[in-house]
Amino acid sequence: MRVLSIHNRYQIRGGEDESSESEQRLLREMGHNVDVYEENNDRVASINPAQIALKTIWSNEAHATVKQRLQSSSYDLVHIQNFFPLISPSVYYAAKEQKVPVVQSLRNYRLLCPNALFFRDGTVCEDCLGKFIPYPGVQHGCYRESKIATSGVATMLTVHRAMNTWTEMVDLYITLTEFARQKMIQGGLPAKKIVVKPNFVHPDPGVGEGRGDYALFVGRLSVEKGLDTLLAAWEHLKEPIPLKIIGDGPLSEQVIAAAKRLPQVEWLGRKSMSEVHALMGEAMFLIFPSKWYETFGRVAVEAFAKGTPVIAANIGAIAELVDSGRTGLHFSPGDPHSLAARVEWALTHPTEMAQMRLEVRAEFEAKYTAQNNYQQLMEIYSKVRTYSNSN
């Protein structure tokens, strides 16, 4: 099989980039030809803002490039990982003109929300959900904290809704969880065109022993990730346990201040993947305190692979991934008292937590290995090619 993978990279490398690359590597390892067409947001700074706005709606450059590629070689399908902002939805049309089926992975909520997060002013926001013109996002300047920049995104979304791009030009969408799928359906995408396939961890990092008497957070140090909830919870613990924090971001100064104030809090900054996995495998549990609708929870699945239970906010996709009482515990999102109570429960129930270590590893082996993911991806590709050929 030959696939053209299309991806617009972020300026700051994140989980979406890593997941896309993992999928491409897996396909190559299994003997498929994967060609890649990429743009990088590093280019944004060198392009006039007005040109960026136009490119976001329709990139003639991307359309011509993809069309030429599809004409020069025979492809079985086009898999679009991310088109925003430099590639644009024009690539859907290039594929359709060449009668090549299109798969689109939905790793965020961009098609429904200008800032792609459903998150504003420290809390969940669905003001644009279901609106043909996402004007609330423009009013609040939700994209890059700019009304002008948000207007460009909103125009792109509205123009392509009017053109029926989202409903007609994509043969099949992939969401990472059922939660995300339901949000996309709420937002107007056709249910029959949306399937669920989670991310995966490859290579398997192996099971840890859980002998470190500490809790672990791994992720971006930002408001939507719930860092304020996490740090406040450690203020409320009756029996403090060491907390190791891995990552960087806009709230790093708050983490530094907390580490100075609370001797049990330690900020480790950025770490390599091997270092993260080593620390993850020895942690008593991972804490996932997000306050927004995560579309997945890659860090949680990595913890599963290491045999480490997850204490997660009961919100969005992460609540779906963590089965409270079996693979971890839920707490009320944004509530440090609720999180502190779950941490204290974990510390006083070692037998149950030991059983959870077995359960999370079994969960990983059942759902999140490369082999399982490859089989699901092949079923999706087969389905979309059959669907496309029948129309």
Side-chain angles (χ1 to χ4, degrees):
M1 180 179 291
R2 188 166 194 177
V3 177
L4 178 59
S5 180
I6 297 177
H7 186 48
N8 198 125
R9 293 181 179 278
Y10 294 95
Q11 284 175 292
I12 300 174
R13 181 181 170 82
E16 293 181 33
D17 289 334
E18 292 172 0
S19 297
S20 298
E21 290 172 2
S22 295
E23 203 166 76
Q24 292 164 9
R25 283 196 302 270
L26 177 59
L27 284 170
R28 291 189 180 110
E29 287 175 14
M30 300 305 289
H32 301 284
N33 292 321
V34 181
D35 296 331
V36 179
Y37 169 54
E38 290 184 341
E39 277 285 5
N40 195 308
N41 279 3
D42 288 340
R43 284 187 59 204
V44 169
S46 63
I47 302 175
N48 182 284
Q51 289 180 305
I52 291 290
L54 291 174
K55 274 183 174 289
T56 298
I57 299 167
W58 185 278
S59 170
N60 287 322
E61 177 187 354
H63 179 271
T65 299
V66 170
K67 186 173 181 178
Q68 190 277 327
R69 289 236 194 151
L70 297 178
Q71 287 174 334
S72 63
S73 299
S74 178
Y75 286 90
D76 294 287
L77 58 87
V78 170
H79 190 156
I80 300 172
Q81 304 286 351
N82 177 31
F83 64 74
F84 183 84
L86 297 177
I87 293 175
S88 87
S90 68
V91 293
Y92 297 148
Y93 290 83
K96 284 298 180 182
E97 288 164 17
Q98 300 306 307
K99 295 181 170 53
V100 180
V102 174
V103 175
Q104 167 76 61
S105 287
L106 298 173
R107 302 185 187 277
N108 58 41
Y109 300 105
R110 182 75 65 194
L111 299 191
L112 311 180
C113 168
N115 76 3
L117 301 176
F118 283 134
F119 192 82
R120 177 173 61 83
D121 294 338
T123 189
V124 167
C125 171
E126 294 187 355
D127 287 357
C128 292
L129 182 62
K131 289 184 172 60
F132 191 85
I133 300 174
Y135 63 86
V138 177
Q139 292 173 333
H140 296 292
C142 290
Y143 178 62
R144 295 181 178 269
E145 299 182 350
S146 164
K147 291 184 178 180
I148 294 175
T150 308
S151 294
V153 182
T155 301
M156 180 271 291
L157 293 173
T158 304
V159 166
H160 286 283
R161 282 172 187 156
M163 293 172 65
N164 294 321
T165 300
W166 315 130
T167 55
E168 301 298 330
M169 291 294 110
V170 179
D171 294 294
L172 208 62
Y173 290 99
I174 299 174
T175 61
L176 307 178
T177 58
E178 183 60 32
F179 176 88
R181 179 176 182 271
Q182 291 302 321
K183 280 294 168 197
M184 296 300 171
I185 294 169
Q186 269 186 271
L189 295 188
K192 67 180 182 180
K193 285 192 174 185
I194 311 175
V195 297
V196 177
K197 181 190 74 65
N199 286 331
F200 61 99
V201 180
H202 181 61
D204 183 347
V207 183
E209 297 183 355
R211 294 183 178 178
D213 293 327
Y214 58 85
L216 181 68
F217 169 88
V218 180
R220 191 172 190 295
L221 308 186
S222 57
V223 173
E224 71 273 11
K225 293 293 185 180
L227 260 293
D228 54 345
T229 305
L230 176 65
L231 296 176
W234 249 250
E235 300 268 14
H236 298 302
L237 285 178
K238 297 173 184 175
E239 297 183 17
I241 174 180
L243 169 65
K244 297 181 185 295
I245 297 176
I246 297 175
D248 203 351
L251 297 188
S252 58
E253 291 300 322
Q254 284 186 227
V255 175
I256 291 171
K260 290 179 179 178
R261 185 173 68 255
L262 303 169
Q264 65 271 30
V265 174
E266 180 183 10
W267 181 38
L268 303 179
R270 294 185 180 183
K271 292 291 181 183
S272 68
M273 188 61 72
S274 60
E275 291 173 312
V276 170
H277 285 165
L279 287 163
M280 197 176 274
E282 296 308 312
M284 292 181 68
F285 44 80
L286 178 87
I287 299 181
F288 202 110
S290 278
K291 300 200 295 191
W292 73 290
Y293 293 152
E294 298 271 359
T295 53
F296 191 62
R298 183 184 175 90
V299 171
V301 173
E302 289 173 349
F304 286 4
K306 297 299 297 184
T308 302
V310 178
I311 299 179
N314 190 17
I315 185 173
I318 189 61
E320 180 181 326
L321 296 183
V322 176
D323 184 2
S324 190
R326 186 175 68 85
T327 60
L329 300 168
H330 288 164
F331 70 93
S332 299
D335 185 343
H337 296 281
S338 177
L339 173 53
R342 296 300 182 271
V343 170
E344 288 168 352
W345 187 95
L347 295 177
T348 55
H349 292 77
T351 302
E352 289 86 345
M353 294 302 291
Q355 180 61 33
M356 283 186 193
R357 293 193 68 85
L358 301 176
E359 293 286 349
V360 294
R361 177 62 193 189
E363 188 82 347
F364 166 73
E365 292 176 354
K367 297 180 180 179
Y368 305 115
T369 64
Q371 185 59 43
N372 285 336
N373 205 273
Y374 174 71
Q375 291 172 357
Q376 291 178 65
L377 189 58
M378 287 300 99
E379 290 171 4
I380 290 169
Y381 283 178
S382 177
K383 180 178 181 179
V384 75
R385 292 175 67 195
T386 301
Y387 173 82
S388 179
N389 290 336
S390 65
N391 284 274

